[in-house]
């Protein structure tokens, strides 16, 4: 291309911000076809280059949208796959630092979670599949331990009336004899700093919830690391009557 200019100069010439230009140049932001057309004009690209780059951009967007569609259609199926893992385990441990775990979510809370990415029948199917998963909680041969931070209940993700109902649901589930719910108060001083949520199924599988994917871990040494971390977080948590009392108190705050 025949134009030489800095990112700031390019941004000023086409009405884009300099950070956006920087992200486009470093591959951190997928440009729109219009972005590419504008910059190609600015940089005085040759006709052949223009056609190739515009075609490539259009195909990239088609691929991204296709992948999103596959992901959305797979949300309910993913819930069924998780249910299968949970069905095969006897001791199930869940640590969540910011969101209510799927097994403990009310239908409305789950709907709002899935609605971040889904809509229509895909949304309905995903919520229904998550609700179906929760039947595992009532199988007395299974032992569930959930450790949540107080932030899970105070994070303003849902309206107050939704959170009030969610907390009431937690209080009810906590009465099941095979379910333990621990809450790490803000005033607690955990001896470690977890970077993400995770789930441990018996001593054979751990799954780590990341922004873009869920990672499965089966190496005994790695699972031992998560078991140790879960134990550390559990030590910082309140269980039993203390946890139920704190959860109920937070629920009353939403109701008032």
């Amino acid at each position: 291309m025949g134009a030489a200019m800095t990112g700031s100069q390019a941004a000023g010439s086409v009405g884009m911000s300099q950070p956006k230009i920087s992200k486009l140049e470093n591959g951190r932001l997928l440009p729109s076809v219009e972005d590419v057309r504008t910059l190609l004009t600015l940089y005085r690209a040759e006709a052949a280059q223009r056609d190739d780059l515009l075609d490539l951009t259009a195909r990239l967007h088609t691929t991204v949208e296709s992948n999103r569609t596959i992901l959305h259609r797979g949300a309910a199926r993913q819930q069924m796959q998780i249910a299968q893992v949970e069905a095969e385990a006897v001791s199930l441990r869940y640590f969540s630092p910011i969101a209510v775990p799927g097994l403990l979510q009310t239908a409305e809370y789950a709907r709002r979670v899935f609605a971040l990415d889904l809509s229509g029948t895909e949304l309905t199917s995903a919520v229904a599949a998550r609700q179906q998963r929760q039947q595992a909680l009532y199988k007395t041969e299974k032992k569930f331990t959930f450790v949540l931070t107080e932030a899970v209940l105070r994070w303003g993700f849902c309206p107050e009336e939704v959170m009030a109902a969610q907390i009431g649901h937690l209080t009810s589930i906590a009465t099941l004899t095979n379910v333990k719910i621990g809450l790490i108060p803000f005033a607690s001083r955990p001896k470690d700093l977890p970077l993400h949520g995770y789930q441990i199924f018996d001593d054979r599988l751990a799954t780590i919830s990341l922004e873009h994917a869920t990672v499965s871990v089966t190496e005994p040494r790695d699972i031992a690391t998560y078991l140790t971390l879960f134990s550390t977080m559990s030590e910082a948590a309140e269980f039993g009557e203390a946890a139920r009392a704190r959860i109920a108190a937070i629920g009353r705050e939403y109701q008032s």
Side-chain angles (χ1 to χ4, degrees), residues 73-94:
R73 288 176 177 172
R77 181 180 301 172
Q78 183 186 45
Q79 291 301 303
M80 290 186 284
Q81 291 171 338
I82 296 172
Q84 183 60 40
V85 173
E86 291 168 337
E88 295 172 355
V90 175
S91 176
L92 303 93
R93 306 171 180 91
Y94 301 80

Side-chain angles (χ1 to χ4, degrees), residues 123-247:
L123 172 59
T124 303
S125 296
V127 173
R130 175 159 288 179
Q131 294 291 293
Q132 183 62 34
R133 273 181 57 203
Q134 296 177 1
Q135 296 303 308
L137 292 170
Y138 303 100
K139 296 180 178 180
T140 55
E141 69 274 15
K142 294 180 177 293
K143 304 299 179 185
F144 296 87
T145 305
F146 298 89
V147 176
L148 319 177
T149 67
E150 187 172 338
V152 169
L153 305 185
R154 296 191 180 277
W155 185 258
F157 172 68
C158 294
E160 292 184 353
E161 62 272 16
V162 175
M163 288 306 301
Q166 175 63 74
I167 289 174
H169 182 64
L170 285 179
T171 303
S172 175
I173 293 297
T175 63
L176 293 173
T177 57
N178 62 320
V179 176
K180 295 171 60 179
I181 298 179
L183 190 69
I184 302 177
F186 282 143
S188 182
R189 295 291 181 268
K191 296 178 182 179
D192 209 330
L193 184 63
L195 301 178
H196 46 68
Y198 50 88
Q199 304 80 40
I200 309 171
F201 303 99
D202 295 327
D203 295 341
R204 58 182 178 79
L205 172 67
T207 57
I208 299 92
S209 304
L210 303 179
E211 184 69 23
H212 72 291
T214 298
V215 178
S216 296
V217 174
T218 57
E219 177 65 37
R221 181 179 300 179
D222 294 331
I223 293 175
T225 296
Y226 282 100
L227 286 169
T228 299
L229 183 57
F230 190 82
S231 177
T232 300
M233 293 299 102
S234 296
E235 291 173 1
E238 297 175 338
F239 284 90
E241 184 56 38
R244 288 192 292 272
R246 188 178 296 274
I247 292 171

Side-chain angles (χ1 to χ4, degrees), residues 65-76 78 117-118 122 212:
E65 289 305 315
S66 176
N67 287 340
R68 285 175 178 166
T69 299
I70 292 171
L71 175 62
H72 292 174
R73 288 176 177 172
Q78 183 186 45
D117 296 305
L118 307 177
E122 295 167 352
H212 72 291

Side-chain angles (χ1 to χ4, degrees), residues 9-82:
Q9 290 171 331
S13 298
V14 297
M16 295 183 187
S17 67
Q18 193 280 326
K20 180 176 180 178
I21 292 290
S22 177
K23 289 179 181 178
L24 292 174
E25 290 177 342
N26 291 285
R28 293 167 56 201
L29 177 66
L30 179 64
S32 67
V33 174
E34 189 57 37
D35 288 338
V36 173
R37 183 178 290 111
T38 298
L39 292 174
L40 289 173
T41 299
L42 174 67
Y43 296 144
R44 299 194 294 274
E46 297 177 359
Q49 288 178 306
R50 288 177 59 88
D51 291 344
D52 287 346
L53 289 172
L54 287 170
D55 179 64
L56 174 61
T57 304
R59 285 190 285 113
L60 281 173
H61 277 276
T62 298
T63 300
V64 169
E65 289 305 315
S66 176
N67 287 340
R68 285 175 178 166
T69 299
I70 292 171
L71 175 62
H72 292 174
R73 288 176 177 172
R77 181 180 301 172
Q78 183 186 45
Q79 291 301 303
M80 290 186 284
Q81 291 171 338
I82 296 172

Side-chain angles (χ1 to χ4, degrees), residues 107-120:
E108 180 60 20
Y109 188 103
R111 188 183 69 79
R112 291 173 181 272
V113 171
F114 283 120
L116 295 172
D117 296 305
L118 307 177
S119 61

